[in-house]
Every structure is written in structure tokens, then in C-alpha cells.
Amino acid sequence: MNATITDREFSLFQQLVYQRAGISLSPAKKILLVGRLSKRLAHYGFDSFTDYYRLLTSGTQPEEVQQFVDLITTNETYFYREPLHFDFLRDKILRDWPRGAPFRIWSGACSSGEEPYTMAMVLAEHLSRSQWEVFASDISRTVLARAAAGLYPLERTEGIPPGFLRKYCLKGVRSQQGKLLVAPELRERVRFAHLNLTERIAGVGLFDVIFLRNVMIYFDADTKRKVVENMLPSLKPDGYFIVGHSESLTGLTDRLVPLRPTIYRKPA
Ligand SMILES: C[S@@+](CC[C@H](N)C(=O)[O-])C[C@H]1O[C@@H](n2cnc3c(N)ncnc32)[C@H](O)[C@@H]1O
């Protein structure tokens, strides 16, 4: 049976999640929080959330804090999610990309890798092999490990067009039966990194395109503003910034020009 959480305990956890990941948990998320953390309480034999909170804030358990963040994040994603963005990448950005010019793209909250590998398939189709690079980051180490493996259950790969499946994916055999492995020539051009977007970002280089999709929905306006400010120095002039279909940058920055809903461009 799950431990119960008091209003005071929930409010402490709300503050902790906000501090550590910038995520705003509404009171409606109480049951979700209890469900996701109960295993950790059971693991330590705690019967109150206060005990777990004390452990997390003791300053001695950075790995447990990471596990906590991993459990709190929502990582839903799939291949070819919101296909209009990949059509825009292909038809508007890559079509006239100068021959041989390097192209770098960042998947800012990449979850288990479906978004960056979709980018990789589109790029591999249009650019020469050593010309492009995908950088993908997330705050959750659990999803990053899955992303780096590049191995997915077949039923999770439905969004991949059949031609790309044949060209860029390998069907698992024997122990990997029922799974699909992203081809090594794509995986070697996708680099994964652990990054908290609410903190200062350094050493990632400059990008022609940034995707920041379906993560700002978890942030309040201050955090959204901070995250966009943190990422924008890494976008090249003329570069594109793309957010999820239920997200918008209106009122968050005046350093990007809206081109169409969810797609923005940095002035030259
Ligand atoms: C719903 S997924 C979106 C995945 C993908 N971009 C897509 O649209 O399918 C949101 C991801 O944001 C990550 N995330 C949440 N807060 C974050 C933060 N402060 N810094 C970096 N990543 C964060 C979560 O770990 C999660 O994997």
C-alpha cells in the first residue's frame, strides 16, 4: 500500500521538484507523485514522505536525488511526433542547405531518443554523412541510457515511415527479437548529454536548429523564460527554434521572430 502524503509534505516536494528541475507540480499531481515515489520509500523502509524528503535534502545522496528527478519527469515521446516539424526541416531548411556546409541540430529535451533519431533519419536522407550532427540532452539519466542504446520495442516504432525503417533500422534477432536497433551509422552521429536546461549551459557549441518540444508545458512562465534565455546563445543567427504544438514563446522572448505557430527564427 502507498504511504499517504500530507499537504505540508506535498508542498515541500513541490518546492524540491521546482528547485531541481524547474518543474511546477500542481496540486492535481499529488496522486501521481505518491505513485511514482512509493517504491523509493519502500526501498528505504520509510513510512513517511518526510523521511524521504530529509534523505533527499541531506546533501549526501546525489544519486538518490537524480533518481528522484528521473521519477518525477514525464518522458512520453515517439518517433515522428508532430511530423509537421520534420516536414519543415526537410522542405524549408534542408532543401536549400549549401552543399557540404556543416549542420548541427539540438534536441533539447530528448527523452528516450525518438526525437533525435527521427532528426537523424531526416538529415541522413538529405545531407552527406559527415556533414551533420545531432546533439540531444535531457535531465533524466534513465531516459538518456535508453536513448544511447537506440533499441526500441517494435510497437514503439510505428511512426517511422517504411522506407526509413528499411534503410535506418535493424530488426533484432534471437534475444533482441521484437526489437529494433537504430542503425550504427545514425547512432554515431547522435551525441547524448545530461543537461538541466534551467542551469547555465556551456560547451555545447552553436546550432542551426533547436527543438524544445513538450517540456515547457511542465514549467511556469519564469522557468520558461530562463530556459529559453539559457538556450538562445547557442542558436546561430538565422537559426530556427521549434517548440511543441501546445507551446508558444509569446511573451517569453523578443529575440526570436515567429515564422508560423511553434516555429521561430533568430534574426541575422
Ligand atoms: C514529454 S518529454 C518530451 C520529449 C520530446 N521532446 C518530444 O517532444 O517527444 C519531456 C522531457 O523533458 C525532460 N525535462 C524535464 N525537465 C527538464 C529540465 N529542467 N532540463 C532538461 N530536460 C528536462 C524530461 O526528462 C523529459 O524526458
Side-chain angles (χ1 to χ4, degrees):
M1 207 180 71
N2 287 346
T4 50
I5 191 165
T6 64
D7 287 347
R8 189 181 138 62
E9 285 171 330
F10 182 65
S11 133
L12 289 173
F13 276 93
Q14 276 177 312
Q15 288 163 36
L16 192 61
V17 173
Y18 189 73
Q19 268 169 25
R20 295 290 171 168
I23 295 171
S24 296
L25 283 184
S26 73
K29 294 282 162 66
K30 213 176 192 177
I31 294 173
L32 181 121
L33 181 106
V34 170
R36 289 189 182 178
L37 297 184
S38 290
K39 268 198 199 136
R40 298 317 295 156
L41 267 71
H43 172 83
Y44 287 104
F46 293 154
D47 51 19
S48 92
F49 275 88
T50 300
D51 293 342
Y52 186 52
Y53 178 80
R54 286 208 186 104
L55 181 86
L56 289 173
T57 52
S58 64
T60 61
Q61 306 286 332
E63 281 175 18
E64 186 60 38
V65 174
Q66 180 65 51
Q67 270 213 48
F68 162 71
V69 168
D70 286 18
L71 286 169
I72 288 308
T73 53
T74 298
N75 313 112
E76 191 198 335
T77 187
Y78 36 95
F79 285 97
Y80 258 92
R81 183 178 196 176
E82 300 178 8
L84 281 180
H85 291 151
F86 297 102
D87 294 347
F88 184 85
L89 178 62
R90 181 192 61 205
D91 300 337
K92 301 285 177 205
I93 307 180
L94 296 177
R95 211 177 55 181
D96 300 322
W97 197 254
R99 220 186 149 87
F103 183 90
R104 294 189 78 228
I105 186 166
W106 181 6
S107 165
C110 67
S111 189
S112 36
E114 288 85 337
E115 180 176 280
Y117 288 131
T118 304
M119 290 169 167
M121 291 178 202
V122 175
L123 295 178
E125 224 28 40
H126 291 90
L127 300 177
S128 64
R129 191 158 170 182
S130 56
Q131 196 182 350
W132 60 272
E133 183 188 310
V134 178
F135 175 67
S137 62
D138 202 280
I139 197 173
S140 160
R141 288 200 188 272
T142 307
V143 290
L144 284 170
R146 296 221 299 272
L151 190 67
Y152 299 91
L154 273 181
E155 64 273 15
R156 303 253 329 131
T157 59
E158 273 168 4
I160 306 177
F164 282 8
L165 265 179
R166 281 193 296 275
K167 216 162 158 185
Y168 300 121
C169 304
L170 309 169
K171 260 198 180 158
V173 288
R174 289 186 288 277
S175 66
Q176 306 296 10
Q177 185 90 35
K179 299 211 176 118
L180 181 148
L181 183 67
V182 177
E185 62 268 28
L186 291 194
R187 275 187 292 133
E188 74 189 15
R189 305 225 53 92
V190 183
R191 185 158 71 87
F192 292 98
H194 181 243
L195 270 188
N196 179 351
L197 299 171
T198 68
E199 291 174 355
R200 208 177 73 83
I201 297 166
V204 299
L206 289 174
F207 296 93
D208 301 290
V209 180
I210 295 178
F211 275 40
L212 183 67
R213 306 191 310 162
N214 304 303
V215 60
M216 283 193 293
I217 38 171
Y218 303 105
F219 299 155
D220 64 11
D222 282 348
T223 307
K224 287 179 191 167
R225 215 168 277 125
K226 194 199 290 176
V227 164
V228 173
E229 283 302 305
N230 283 349
M231 296 178 87
L232 276 188
S234 308
L235 183 64
K236 286 187 191 166
D238 274 337
Y240 296 87
F241 197 101
I242 298 182
V243 301
H245 275 121
S246 60
E247 299 166 321
S248 154
L249 297 179
T250 307
L252 298 179
T253 179
D254 51 13
R255 293 166 63 198
L256 291 173
V257 178
L259 290 186
R260 51 178 81 175
T262 71
I263 302 182
Y264 300 81
R265 194 163 195 193
K266 195 177 197 176

